[in-house]
Amino acid sequence: MTTSCHLQALEAHLPATSLSNDDLAKLVDTSDAWIVSRTGIRHRRKLADTENASDLGLAAARNALATAGLAASELTHIITATCSPDHVSPSVACIIAGQLGAGPVMAFDFSAACSGFLYGLSLGRSLLAQAPESRILFICTEALSRRVNWQDRSTCVLFGDAATACVLTGEALPGVAPTPSGVGGAVLEDVICQSDGSQKDLITVGGGTSCTYRLGDSVQEDFFISMQGRETYKHAVRQMTGSCEAILQRNGLGMADVDVFIPHQANMRIIEAVGSRLGVTEEQLFTNLEQYGNTSSASIPLALSEALAAGRVKPGARVLMTAFGAGLTWGAALLRF
Ligand SMILES: CC(C)(COP(=O)(O)OP(=O)(O)OC[C@H]1O[C@@H](n2cnc3c(N)ncnc32)[C@H](O)[C@@H]1OP(=O)(O)O)[C@@H](O)C(=O)NCCC(=O)NCCS
């Protein structure tokens, strides 16, 4: 039995509409200068009224299958990380499975908020350990603009919509088209996923059964994202730094052994604080939050796909990723290309 987990055919899909900081300054009392200085974010994408998280995920999934040279009928699993699904049920994974014509695959969503990509890699590795011949379509899709309170300036400036998809397999797929930089796929070297439910109230995304509305009621604040920004910031820096140190240490590695560092794209100040504690150099760091804001589970794979397209990840490169999100959840992972 193998426990190898190969990540291949990573593709992204972004909605067409982009909102600038100046656009948001027309909705709430904020400014481009405040948002850039506190977060580093300049733009974020917003899905159309006619789109849902599943539509973004479906587009990314179609791209990933085409790149992998796989038919939907060859898939064994479709798993989706999302904290902004179309519905509580059916799952986004089932909706996408139906639209792809995937057949009777195992399909489900899971919620690990912004740590979703790392949790999904860990889950994928476990599924592959059970059945190494599996072909897992792993989607991260978020429509957080639907859960943002557009009257709350402390949160509405932070988030954006995006989706990514990749294929996880026990062995490298021969048909996978390399990225423009000549890189095909990666092996998951290690992954750590952790949580602390005692801090559940620091970031919440509403819309579940705790919202006790009856037909005809208007939604209240609990329906939307709420966040205690300062406390969240401190936990994010502590946990992302700690999980990176732990994963490097248990693999006998140091930051000098890492070629590219891709942290969760939530906030430039958090990234800089984590980077300075770990000793990350400018050459190692990759960010794209300036363009997209915090896209939750899609944030790390979206950045990784852009780093690959930009030629920042060379064949043989080791990539260190770290995430933090509601739950609280956090983690780190090492990929070898
Ligand atoms: C959200 C965050 C940028 C706010 O920055 P901050 O320096 O902590 O700001 P505070 O929340 O203390 O607010 C300071 C002031 O700015 C104001 N403010 C908040 N958002 C604002 C905005 N978009 N524009 C202008 N002013 C704003 C606050 O109302 C407050 O005003 P007051 O002093 O008059 O009450 C910061 O806390 C943060 O990055 N937190 C982590 C967020 C995150 O990444 N979460 C996701 C993790 S997955």
Side-chain angles (χ1 to χ4, degrees), residues 98-137:
Q99 286 166 331
L100 288 175
V105 294
M106 181 175 180
F108 62 95
D109 296 351
F110 66 92
S111 169
C114 304
S115 308
F117 184 63
L118 303 188
Y119 271 62
L121 291 180
S122 181
L123 182 58
R125 186 178 62 174
S126 301
L127 292 169
L128 287 162
Q130 286 173 29
E133 69 287 358
S134 299
R135 302 252 187 277
I136 303 167
L137 179 62

Side-chain angles (χ1 to χ4, degrees), residues 41-105:
I41 299 166
R42 292 180 190 274
H43 303 272
R44 70 285 294 146
R45 298 295 178 96
K46 184 173 183 288
L47 79 179
D49 289 348
T50 50
E51 288 177 309
N52 287 317
S54 64
D55 297 302
L56 304 184
L58 177 66
R62 287 202 162 115
N63 292 342
L65 289 178
T67 302
L70 277 181
S73 57
E74 294 176 87
L75 296 170
T76 54
H77 305 72
I78 299 181
I79 61 176
T80 302
T82 182
C83 60
S84 48
D86 303 20
H87 315 281
V88 173
S89 190
S91 67
V92 170
C94 278
I95 294 170
I96 292 177
Q99 286 166 331
L100 288 175
V105 294

Side-chain angles (χ1 to χ4, degrees), residues 8-13 59-68 163-166 177 301 305:
Q8 291 152 108
L10 176 62
E11 298 286 351
H13 178 78
R62 287 202 162 115
N63 292 342
L65 289 178
T67 302
T164 66
C166 62
S305 70

